[in-house]
Amino acid sequence: MKYGYFDGDNKEYVITKPNTPAPWANYLGSPEYGAIISNNAGGYSFVKSGANGRIIRYRFNSTPADQPGRYIYIRDREMADYWSASWQPVGKDLSEYESECRHGTAYTAMKSKYKGIETDTLYYVPLDKTYEVWRLKVTNQDERPRKLSLFGYVEFTNDANYEQDTVNLQYTQFISKTYFRENMILQAINEHVSEVGGGASGLSDEAGEGIWRFFGVQGAEVNRYDGDRDIFVGDYRGYQNPASVEQGACTNTLNYNGNSCGALQIDVELAPGETKEIVFLLGAYGEADARQILGRYETLTVVEEELQELKSYWHSKLDRFQVQTPDDNFNQMVNVWNAYQCFITFIWSRAASFQYCGLRNGLGYRDTVQDIQGIMHLEPELARERLTLMLSAQVSNGGGLPLVKFDHRPGHEGTPDDPDYARETGHPFYRADDALWLFPTTIRYLKESGNWAYVDEVIPFSDQGEGTVYEHLRRAIQFSIDRLGEHGMPVGLHADWNDALRLGAHGESLFVAFQLYLALGVYKEIAAHKQDDAQVHWAEQLRAALGDNIQKHAWEGDRFVRGFTEDGYVVGSRENEEASLWLNPQTWSILSGFAEPEQARTAMDLVYEQLNTEYGAMLFYPPFKKFGLPVARMALFNGTTKENAGIFSQPQGWLIQAETMLGRGNRAYQYFTEINPAAMNDKAEIRKIEPYVHGQSIEGIDSPFFGRGHVHWLTGTASTVMVSLAEGIMGVQPTFDGLRLDPCIPSTWSEFSMYREFRSKRLRIKVENPNHVEKGVAKVMLNGEELEGNLLPDDRLRENNDVLVLMG
Ligand code: GLC
């Protein structure tokens, strides 16, 4: 079943049936002021931190689903009927109520039509601002005048800390009050306590005391208001039928020792054809600041200007890489949604969604370093800034801090070995993989930007000392080399990429072995470029020794195993009853540059036979049921779910990429199509989550809900799949010396084109495939001249370039 469509021209996803099988969300704002909003206006907002700066409530995982949110109710005073500007929460019968929701780049627009009244609501956070705007236009399409009451509504948290707000009611119920002051509800928390104002959460204060929020309106006079949620909603009622709306009048009641809300009632009379436009504003400010913000919207055209500003800000980023292939579902993802999701994961990490409730209060090392890769081709300098931060969160022993706090202080942080760090972050152990992610990310930055000087930039370590980027990389290798196991491969520590695999201080991880193999290759490449022969030699020797060990201990003739436990059990061995074939070691044997071509093909064919499904490849099979803790922690999950043999989404990117490295474009494309959210647009009842973004995992074949997706938006899938599409299938591969073009496509494609910016140069690339090959470049023309090979040398690029690639 289908609930909407892609509007590529406007870079929007348009939901035409509002009763989607899950709330389909979008992100607004920035880390300074963040907001998440569903197609039914459910969602929440926060200042700086979803955990400590929560402004409005959202009840996670609740029934009725997806409540509350940013609600606008409309009541017809003559008919005594009411509805909402988003389909929910009132939820009028869809035979009478029409709606359309457009999720765009950092804004969401909703239209409704009900009994002759049309509404058009726009939600956004203006660029570089720390409050949100809801612009409402109401139009009377009827032939007679209509008397309407409009109610804007938010439910405030009583405590900026989300957990306290939810559970510590004997305290939080007694600290919050509301006030009505000319067109706005103000909420105060701890209003007499000067220490609370401002503070770490960044919530603004009024005269230096307490925490203050406002919900106000511009463009109309408020007739009545409520500041007490329980009065507005009424006893034994819900958001579908709040008492104040149903009765047609807010009660002018303010909160004292209950739950604060902002409800503003505006009565209007509209002649036939007339439109009324008003703007609701919400933020964490006291009255003086709020007045100023409201003042900015006296001229309502400001809204259109701000919207245009947002669009051009986002579109100009996305426009740096655009493709036109024969597959529109592919194009939508590369051009808009996968790219936008990469920015969203880059910005929000795993902090705030409808599943991440805000308590992951920092940047996970591996997640963040990987997320950086997703935006590399679009904004390399932003990528560099974050990469520098992550290098500064590398401990001087070479390992990564498992969690990088939002207020990370390079040079002054504890390590997982320090009780304070462990207590504060909840992470008392190193992961084996964390710092090794720096290699694929750093090399991508160097090759994308051409900023070779970065290698020598000096960056502090998280605990003490400093070193060049080059030195940071060397220490990351050293961290692994200092922790090798019995077979000469890195030990698994608390986790490798797989959070549910605990191989400990003695068991070994093949995943990390391949990561290290890749790292040594990257390091050697950088050392060679620096003409540092001693380091080239160092890396070469380590790489050769590691390679020998992998070949000797980890290859079983048709597959690579996954690891060794400390008591000698081989995880992922063909002899095992459970989990006898794993996806990641096969794909990483190729990504790392280790596998011989024959080995690679054999292993990948086995993956195709045994792990692939119509919705992507499972992480391994069969799932764990008997072998479990303490090593295989995934046994905690139901079979073929998440890390226990689910179709984990992030590794699908590695799978696609690995197939392109083998030159098998048909298979790479098939794997992508299986997990392409857009390709599931007409099977939304199976996938459930948004058809425009990847989720963390999909349920595998043993589940009665095979194909159902989970944990929307914030997942490393965005970056791995983006890389596999851009570098792998489209074959646009930056090198130190220029841009290599080496597409690996389905043989059915006879041509496609791309626009790419590279080191500030613009390239229009046309690829022709008359012989229907999957890979191979016969000829490349750059600005009318034939090149030798398929590398566009940096020094031959002009400002604007026309490139023709002939495959064959
Ligand atoms: C989650 C975590 C990520 C981990 C993956 C596999 O997505 O955020 O860090 O690599 O699970 O366990």
Side-chain angles (χ1 to χ4, degrees), residues 563-629:
F564 304 91
T565 67
E566 64 177 46
D567 45 17
Y569 176 80
V570 184
V571 182
S573 165
R574 59 185 303 170
E575 306 301 329
N576 296 353
E577 199 184 320
E578 298 174 340
S580 51
L581 174 67
W582 289 59
L583 176 61
N584 288 337
Q586 321 316 324
T587 55
W588 270 79
S589 75
I590 298 162
L591 300 180
S592 64
F594 174 79
E596 299 294 339
E598 195 43 45
Q599 226 173 6
R601 277 192 291 272
T602 305
M604 294 293 274
D605 286 344
L606 200 61
V607 162
Y608 188 72
E609 277 163 35
Q610 297 193 5
L611 299 182
N612 190 38
T613 77
E614 62 189 291
Y615 303 119
M618 294 181 290
L619 210 46
F620 55 78
Y621 201 76
F624 283 114
K625 287 177 186 154
K626 295 181 189 149
F627 183 84
L629 301 179

Side-chain angles (χ1 to χ4, degrees), residues 146-157:
R146 297 280 293 266
K147 291 184 177 156
L148 305 174
S149 296
L150 312 172
F151 302 79
Y153 178 82
V154 285
E155 178 173 334
F156 290 117
T157 56

Side-chain angles (χ1 to χ4, degrees), residues 389-405:
L389 173 75
M390 296 315 285
L391 284 161
S392 83
Q394 189 187 3
V395 182
S396 54
N397 68 6
L401 285 181
L403 191 83
V404 184
K405 292 178 285 171

Side-chain angles (χ1 to χ4, degrees), residues 283-342:
Y285 287 105
E287 188 179 1
D289 293 324
R291 279 278 158 249
Q292 271 196 356
I293 294 168
L294 255 69
R296 179 172 162 81
Y297 297 85
E298 249 166 54
T299 333
L300 294 174
T301 50
V302 171
V303 171
E304 280 309 320
E305 286 159 23
E306 288 181 338
L307 177 64
Q308 286 317 317
E309 209 178 14
L310 264 186
K311 284 187 185 171
S312 44
Y313 175 82
W314 280 104
H315 293 188
S316 68
K317 289 181 196 288
L318 304 183
D319 283 344
R320 291 176 197 148
F321 183 52
Q322 293 286 302
V323 303
Q324 278 77 43
T325 76
D327 178 356
D328 194 50
N329 289 332
F330 186 99
N331 303 343
Q332 297 298 343
M333 294 310 289
V334 175
N335 296 346
V336 185
W337 288 97
N338 203 341
Y340 181 57
Q341 188 181 5
C342 284

Side-chain angles (χ1 to χ4, degrees), residues 620-645:
F620 55 78
Y621 201 76
F624 283 114
K625 287 177 186 154
K626 295 181 189 149
F627 183 84
L629 301 179
V631 175
R633 301 181 59 77
M634 58 282 278
L636 294 166
F637 295 125
N638 296 330
T640 68
T641 299
K642 280 181 66 98
E643 279 96 336
N644 196 10

Side-chain angles (χ1 to χ4, degrees), residues 350 356 360 366-367 497-499 643 648 650 696:
R350 308 295 175 268
Y356 289 114
R360 263 212 198 182
R366 83 162 72 92
D367 292 346
W497 167 84
N498 193 321
D499 269 334
E643 279 96 336
F648 219 87
Q650 192 183 10
Q696 184 203 61

